[in-house]
Amino acid sequence: MSVLVGYDTRLVVHGMSGSAGSFHAKQMVEYGTKVVAGMTPGKGGFKVPGLEQVPMYDTVAEAVTLAGANTSVIYVPPPAAADSILEAAAAGIDTIIAITEGIPARDMIKVKYVLDRDFPHVVLVGPNCPGVITPGQCKVGIMPGYIHKPGGVGVVSRSGTLTYEVVHQLTALGLGQSTAIGIGGDPVKGTDFIDALMLFAEDPGTSSIFMIGEIGGDSEERAAAFIKEHVKKPVAAFIGGQTAPPGKRMGHAGAIISGGKGAAADKIAALKEAGIAVSPTPAEMGKTLAKVLA
Amino acid sequence: MKIHEYQGKQLLKKYGVPVPVGIPATSVEDALAAIPKVQQDGGTDIVVVKAQIHAGGRGKGGGVKVAKTRADAEEAVKKIFGMQLITPQTGPEGKKVQRLLIEQGLAIDHEYYLGMLLDRATGKNVVMASREGGMDIEEVAEKHPEKIFRLTIDPATGWQDWQSRSLAKSLGLSGKPAQELGVFLRALTRCYDDMDCSMLEINPLVTTKDGRVLALDAKINFDDNAMFRHKELEEWRDPNEEDASELEAKKWDLSYIALEGNIGCMVNGAGLAMSTMDIIKYYGGAPANFLDVGGGATAEKVTAAFKIITSDPEVKAIFVNIFGGIMKCDTIAQGVITAVKEVGLKVPLVVRLEGTNVELGKKMLADSGLDIVAAADMADGAQKAVAAAKGSK
């Protein structure tokens, strides 16, 4: 079992003729993902080297009607990415995974607003995220596929490379993953912790959860309250940025402590208060969950 | 990206937000010459001399002086220009004042707080205002949250005039000032949206004895992601306000922040980079920097990153912590080897590689003949780097 992506995923790659899009489309095909179409405006009918078997279209609507696409992955550069997300929703795509880093907040405010208003059934993951993978079934994004292993741990994370880190640690301990979701580090995003936790809580294939948060905002605190109330499965967590100085933007637009809000200590306290095991260092994430499950 | 108060006010003025008469100066001579002009245009002898640095809390540090006469103003200019201004936000070393703003004094009736920023919980922008202006708004928010009024901006309609009227009512304004507030907010919210601001703070917003509403201070931050739409803002960068290494890193599109410690870090991914700082602290060390080389870095970029780290004289050990996804381990290895060959290696170098092409990367480092300490994992690497930094002191 899995959430968001799996055997039923039929993927259209937005920006497949670009360097990032074509590189990762090839990796996804190799992993076994059903990449049914590529999309770049003005490149309909084009053959992308190494991906000649995948038809290219000018619009997402064609990818849906002609190739049966039901999931979008966005590699479009930041100035055009918001537009591409909305095009996917309008074309009838259900799951949109936006990898693009650097989309202006003003654009994402509008995207989120329109999705909430006109396409409430559409799930957006990202932007600025590594994507979603259901090990052994389907990889949508940029994560290294080989570190994953099918199993029962649902992983949700705000950080890309820390997701790889925890997955690697879990796999080394023999703990496979049901689905790993990178929700991204941007301040305005689609799926947040609570959305992902709801999916994992209901998924029969997920037996435990690992959550990686970081400084900034209060979504970890809200997630902790949600877990306490609604999630019966074992949860372990880690919070990155415990030693980050206030007022500095640490790469992610989201990772900034401002005005005393969003400090790691508050988040860790909230998680512990909800009965969640918190890993003391990023090197012990796998072990922390293993201990809970033992 | 941050800008100075005077730049913020120029921008606000362009959008029709009322601001006091003011002239910026980058030398004592210019500042002295500005005094009589501001006195004349402002219609009063009273001027305010304000230090222009990016940190807040300037008044408390002696960087703002209200002068009643031209002689007083001249004295203030000479005193403030060039001073090492220490505020709660500058750190103990303070910041050298190299720009001043000479501004018209106003007959202030009341000081309010006004701020605009993104509410991450709803994904919408909010306007916040309070009668308790001019002071530490975070303290007000903590002790008296009911004294801060918040209005959410609907992404479909933008700021509406009824919201200005509602806010005026909450703030106890009526008549001319209430109307002026409407004009003020319409212009301010348009500026925020047009210019892709990430934070816009007017503290204080003032009403004057003659019923006007003006921005007495302006703190504006822009969304770095939207800079491709605002190339003109590049000219407003003040290199004196930015760390030289951070500027060099920006050239290479590296995310770098200088810190106080002595272990240089090179990591891919913001989350892993922050966590690498955490684990170094956990084992008793202190990171010299945050450095995220990003996902798609080339060997040249890695070389540039390595040079930036080694240019910090405080660095006593270097910890390279890579989990390759898109970033391939052999690219990192190539970049490190090139950099070490070019600039030499004066401190211990600990490398932890994992992920895409890890075996190739490790082999390249081993074959290079360089004196590199290999780490089995993140914890091992952090401990070795901490030990190395202590050993080489």
Side-chain angles (χ1 to χ4, degrees), chain A:
Chain A
M1 285 301 288
S2 62
V3 301
L4 294 175
V5 303
Y7 289 126
D8 299 332
T9 296
R10 296 177 61 81
L11 189 69
V12 50
V13 179
H14 296 220
M16 195 170 81
S17 57
S19 62
S22 65
F23 176 80
H24 292 292
K26 280 175 222 163
Q27 304 267 312
M28 290 188 284
V29 169
E30 251 173 58
Y31 194 80
T33 305
K34 291 187 195 87
V35 178
V36 299
M39 192 289 287
T40 302
K43 297 275 183 178
F46 182 73
K47 296 279 177 223
V48 177
L51 291 160
E52 290 83 359
Q53 76 283 12
V54 182
M56 278 291 288
Y57 300 103
D58 290 316
T59 65
V60 187
E62 289 167 289
V64 172
T65 50
L66 301 177
N70 59 17
T71 302
S72 281
V73 63
I74 314 257
Y75 293 101
V76 175
D83 175 74
S84 211
I85 295 170
L86 291 177
E87 182 183 349
I93 294 282
D94 299 323
T95 306
I96 304 169
I97 296 166
I99 308 302
T100 308
E101 178 179 357
I103 305 179
R106 190 221 288 180
D107 298 2
M108 281 311 302
I109 290 171
K110 288 178 182 152
V111 166
K112 195 175 163 63
Y113 176 78
V114 174
L115 290 183
D116 287 350
R117 186 190 66 189
D118 296 344
F119 308 99
H121 61 283
V122 169
V123 175
L124 170 68
V125 179
N128 189 11
C129 77
V132 182
I133 183 169
T134 293
Q137 293 186 31
C138 178
K139 157 184 143 135
V140 179
I142 58 175
M143 65 290 278
Y146 76 94
I147 58 173
H148 300 77
K149 170 189 155 95
V153 185
V155 175
V156 55
S157 167
R158 250 169 91 175
S159 150
T161 36
L162 269 182
T163 318
Y164 312 159
E165 191 74 52
V166 73
V167 164
H168 185 67
Q169 290 174 18
L170 290 169
T171 297
L173 292 166
L175 294 168
Q177 305 88 41
S178 55
T179 299
I181 308 172
I183 59 173
D186 274 10
V188 185
K189 55 173 164 279
T191 298
D192 207 338
F193 284 119
I194 292 178
D195 307 299
L197 290 165
M198 275 164 75
L199 293 173
F200 284 139
E202 283 163 23
D203 174 37
T206 299
S207 48
S208 63
I209 299 167
F210 199 95
M211 171 180 146
I212 298 175
E214 58 187 27
I215 53 169
D218 68 345
S219 58
E220 288 82 1
E221 285 88 335
R222 285 184 282 128
F226 179 84
I227 290 167
K228 194 176 179 185
E229 199 68 23
H230 301 286
V231 181
K232 304 293 161 235
K233 297 172 182 177
V235 183
F238 175 72
I239 301 291
Q242 298 177 29
T243 59
K248 294 273 189 184
R249 172 173 146 155
M250 295 282 169
H252 285 174
I256 178 167
I257 305 174
S258 44
K261 286 271 168 64
D266 300 334
K267 294 176 187 296
I268 291 169
L271 290 166
K272 286 188 172 161
E273 208 269 320
I276 298 161
V278 181
S279 177
T281 76
E284 292 160 72
M285 295 187 288
K287 275 185 214 156
T288 303
L289 181 65
K291 226 183 273 171
V292 173
L293 299 179

Side-chain angles (χ1 to χ4, degrees), chain B residues 1 12 16 30 68 127 131 142 155 186 188 238 272 274 280 301 325 337 367 372 375 392:
Chain B
M1 177 186 166
L12 292 178
D30 287 355
K68 293 214 166 72
V127 171
R131 276 187 68 79
E142 201 173 297
R186 205 181 302 151
L188 190 81
D238 181 351
L272 191 61
M274 281 193 295
I280 286 172
K301 200 166 152 178
I337 293 167
D367 292 351
I372 293 170
S392 68

Side-chain angles (χ1 to χ4, degrees), chain A residues 23-24 78-79 101-110 112-113 116-117 142-144 146-147 158-162 164-165 168-169 185-189 192 214-219 222 238-245 247-256 258-261 280-284, chain B residues 2 118-125 138 141 153-157 192-196 222-230 246 255 257-259 267-279 281-283 287 290 292 295 321-326 328 352 354-358 377-380:
Chain A
F23 176 80
H24 292 292
E101 178 179 357
I103 305 179
R106 190 221 288 180
D107 298 2
M108 281 311 302
I109 290 171
K110 288 178 182 152
K112 195 175 163 63
Y113 176 78
D116 287 350
R117 186 190 66 189
I142 58 175
M143 65 290 278
Y146 76 94
I147 58 173
R158 250 169 91 175
S159 150
T161 36
L162 269 182
Y164 312 159
E165 191 74 52
H168 185 67
Q169 290 174 18
D186 274 10
V188 185
K189 55 173 164 279
D192 207 338
E214 58 187 27
I215 53 169
D218 68 345
S219 58
R222 285 184 282 128
F238 175 72
I239 301 291
Q242 298 177 29
T243 59
K248 294 273 189 184
R249 172 173 146 155
M250 295 282 169
H252 285 174
I256 178 167
S258 44
K261 286 271 168 64
T281 76
E284 292 160 72
Chain B
K2 291 179 181 177
L118 173 66
D119 178 7
R120 300 153 60 117
T122 60
K124 290 171 187 166
N125 289 310
E138 274 139 28
I153 301 180
D154 188 307
T157 62
Y192 182 95
D193 197 50
D194 265 15
M195 295 305 297
D196 282 288
F222 300 97
D223 179 358
D224 287 339
N225 286 350
M227 284 303 102
F228 66 86
R229 289 202 275 248
H230 307 286
E246 288 177 16
S255 184
I257 294 167
L259 300 166
V267 189
N268 67 322
L272 191 61
M274 281 193 295
S275 302
T276 301
M277 291 160 44
D278 294 345
I279 199 166
K281 277 257 173 89
Y282 183 82
Y283 287 116
F290 164 93
D292 170 12
N321 184 19
I322 300 294
F323 204 119
I326 340 169
K328 301 179 190 79
R352 179 270 179 136
E354 197 60 71
T356 310
N357 295 355
V358 56
D377 56 35
M378 198 167 167
D380 183 43

